[in-house]
Amino acid sequence: MLRRFEAACYAAGDLGFNFVWQSIELYLLFYYIRGLGIAPAVASGIFLAGAAVDWLTDPVIGAVADRLAPRVPLRAWVSIGGPLSVVMLCLAFAPPPVPAAWVPGYALATYLALRFFYGLGNIPYAALTARLSPDPADHLRLTGARMQGAALGGLIAALTYALLPADRGGGADFRLGALILAGLAMPAFFATSFGTRERVLPRSGPPRPLGEAVAAMAALLRRSAALRRLIVTIVMVGLTVTLINKSLLFLFEQVGAPRLGYFVALVPALSLLLTAPLWARLAIRSGQIRTLRIAAVAVLVMAVLALIGRDVATALLCITLAIIAGQGMSVMFWSLVPATVASCEISDQDAGYAVRVYAMATIARKLAQALAPQAIALALVLPDGALLVTIACVAAMTLLTVLFYPPIGPSHPHAAA
């Protein structure tokens, strides 16, 4: 069993990474449009380009990190990619040192570099869960600790930007906020790098050319039923959770309480911080798959009740509980990734798959995050209530997935073929 100190050091990594991620998710698009004067279509195109770069580079990062292990431990990537990502965050929010016509190009270049360095540190960081311990109970504890670190990072980032003095234009001083968060993130990254130890080493094997190693990831997906089950679960759970979180302001606007939506937007981070250990304890007692199903049922029930109620009080209660249940699904699917890693490595002759499996899991999550805005945009052109109908339908499909095509648990290590 891992010591609490080591689990806390591991969680510090997601604290630092969420200083970066929440800055991107909540504020960078607004800064591009309002602060830099970039046209909305161009600004949204920059974000789309960043997602495309992720889909191309994440598998390469996973293959390289796996290929270099254990000569280069996974925690070392955190101390490289993490600091570089906060440097790029500061540059992204800095006044562009270029002529006005080149500002979109500067924004694109800094944003692509920011996404690349974020993945360079974050993907190996996620794979550390499978390398710090072989014990499934430790995987749950580490995932719960990580989720708490992520939630705390999101809260600190939001409060930092909210409490900063306004700049000369009357808006938030995003540059100063990025600098403050960069200073807080650096020690968090180094805590993970120097406060953890990898006990589970990948099986040694002959090195593959990089292109062949990347291609092997697609072949692994075709071979491994365990990996396919995991990917489908992540896409469905990620789509459900993202739909709920990104719909909050629209949902409360439709029930006549638009300002309330801004306060409910604090619930995802707060609920993750407070309930991640409770979900982990429930999984230890009831099993991870059963807990995943319980959370999926709760999300669907709350979505249906919110659809039936259509008033402010019902929406507040049901959406809050749906968010909490959605966080439970997220904790469960991340805690189940190590079982898939073990399954892939037992059934294959290659050296190690930890980072590559986590890279594919991250790509699946980003696919869900890219699909959710499209569903929201479609629902918004339909009559009021279509958004809740969409959430309920996706939640129902997620429940069917975890009932009939769930990821494998730690007690089924050979379910890959």
Side-chain angles (χ1 to χ4, degrees):
M1 180 176 176
L2 291 176
R3 294 177 302 155
R4 290 184 179 179
F5 174 78
E6 190 167 6
C9 287
Y10 176 68
D14 233 359
L15 176 76
F17 281 119
N18 270 272
F19 292 155
V20 179
W21 185 252
Q22 294 302 321
S23 298
I24 296 172
E25 284 287 280
L26 299 178
Y27 307 107
L28 191 56
L29 182 63
F30 180 86
Y31 173 72
Y32 283 164
I33 296 171
R34 299 294 186 225
L36 299 184
I38 299 174
V42 176
S44 62
I46 292 172
F47 274 71
L48 183 60
V53 166
D54 282 342
W55 295 334
L56 293 173
T57 60
D58 285 357
V60 176
I61 292 169
V64 170
D66 271 331
R67 188 182 184 193
L68 295 179
R71 288 176 296 161
V72 180
L74 297 184
R75 62 186 184 277
W77 295 93
V78 178
S79 60
I80 298 171
L84 288 173
S85 69
V86 295
V87 169
M88 294 311 305
L89 180 70
C90 294
L91 290 177
F93 279 115
V98 296
W102 294 3
V103 167
Y106 173 88
L108 175 63
T110 54
Y111 183 66
L112 295 184
L114 171 58
R115 293 293 291 250
F116 173 76
F117 288 128
Y118 180 87
L120 187 67
N122 187 255
I123 291 173
Y125 167 77
L128 266 175
T129 306
R131 295 298 186 217
L132 295 182
S133 171
D135 185 354
D138 282 337
H139 298 158
L140 276 170
R141 295 185 186 95
L142 288 169
T143 302
R146 175 191 173 187
M147 293 294 184
Q148 285 191 293
L152 185 59
L155 284 174
I156 292 174
L159 287 173
T160 297
Y161 289 110
L163 297 177
L164 283 175
D167 61 14
R168 285 179 293 181
D173 191 341
F174 294 113
R175 180 186 183 185
L176 178 58
L179 288 170
I180 292 173
L181 293 175
L184 296 174
M186 289 292 191
F189 293 136
F190 292 124
T192 297
S193 297
F194 297 103
T196 59
R197 181 167 64 90
E198 292 163 52
R199 298 167 179 82
V200 182
L201 300 180
R203 187 173 63 251
S204 61
R208 288 182 172 185
L210 180 59
E212 185 180 341
V214 174
M217 296 173 66
L220 178 64
L221 185 61
R222 290 194 302 269
R223 280 195 312 274
S224 174
L227 184 55
R228 291 195 299 271
R229 286 171 173 267
L230 176 70
I231 295 301
V232 171
T233 298
I234 290 175
V235 170
M236 293 309 305
V237 170
L239 180 56
T240 302
V241 172
T242 306
L243 265 176
I244 295 171
N245 291 344
K246 285 187 176 295
S247 298
L248 291 175
L249 298 183
F250 299 108
L251 289 172
F252 284 92
E253 182 182 65
Q254 291 178 359
V255 297
R259 185 60 187 167
L260 184 59
Y262 289 90
F263 293 96
V264 180
L266 294 173
V267 173
L270 280 172
S271 66
L272 186 59
L273 180 65
L274 297 175
T275 66
L278 301 179
W279 286 112
R281 289 180 185 176
L282 178 60
I284 291 173
R285 296 186 61 179
S286 302
Q288 288 151 278
I289 302 299
R290 182 177 297 177
T291 302
L292 176 63
R293 289 168 173 166
I294 291 171
V297 170
V299 172
L300 177 57
V301 169
M302 291 303 109
V304 171
L305 290 177
L307 180 61
I308 295 172
R310 299 285 188 89
D311 60 89
V312 175
T314 302
L316 178 60
L317 176 62
C318 293
I319 296 302
T320 298
L321 293 177
I323 291 171
I324 293 172
Q327 302 294 15
M329 292 196 297
S330 297
V331 172
M332 287 308 103
F333 81 64
W334 281 120
S335 71
L336 287 163
V337 178
T340 303
V341 172
S343 178
C344 292
E345 294 184 340
I346 288 172
S347 65
D348 199 275
Q349 298 301 314
D350 200 5
Y353 276 102
V355 189
R356 276 171 282 188
V357 170
Y358 274 93
M360 284 186 275
T362 301
I363 291 170
R365 184 188 64 176
K366 290 175 179 177
L367 174 60
Q369 291 170 336
L371 292 174
Q374 316 310 315
I376 293 171
L378 179 61
L380 289 176
V381 302
L382 299 173
D384 285 356
L387 198 49
L388 280 172
V389 171
T390 302
I391 292 172
C393 289
V394 173
M397 290 188 290
T398 301
L399 177 58
L400 291 174
T401 298
V402 301
L403 285 175
F404 300 107
Y405 197 68
I408 66 165
S411 60
H412 299 88
H414 299 286

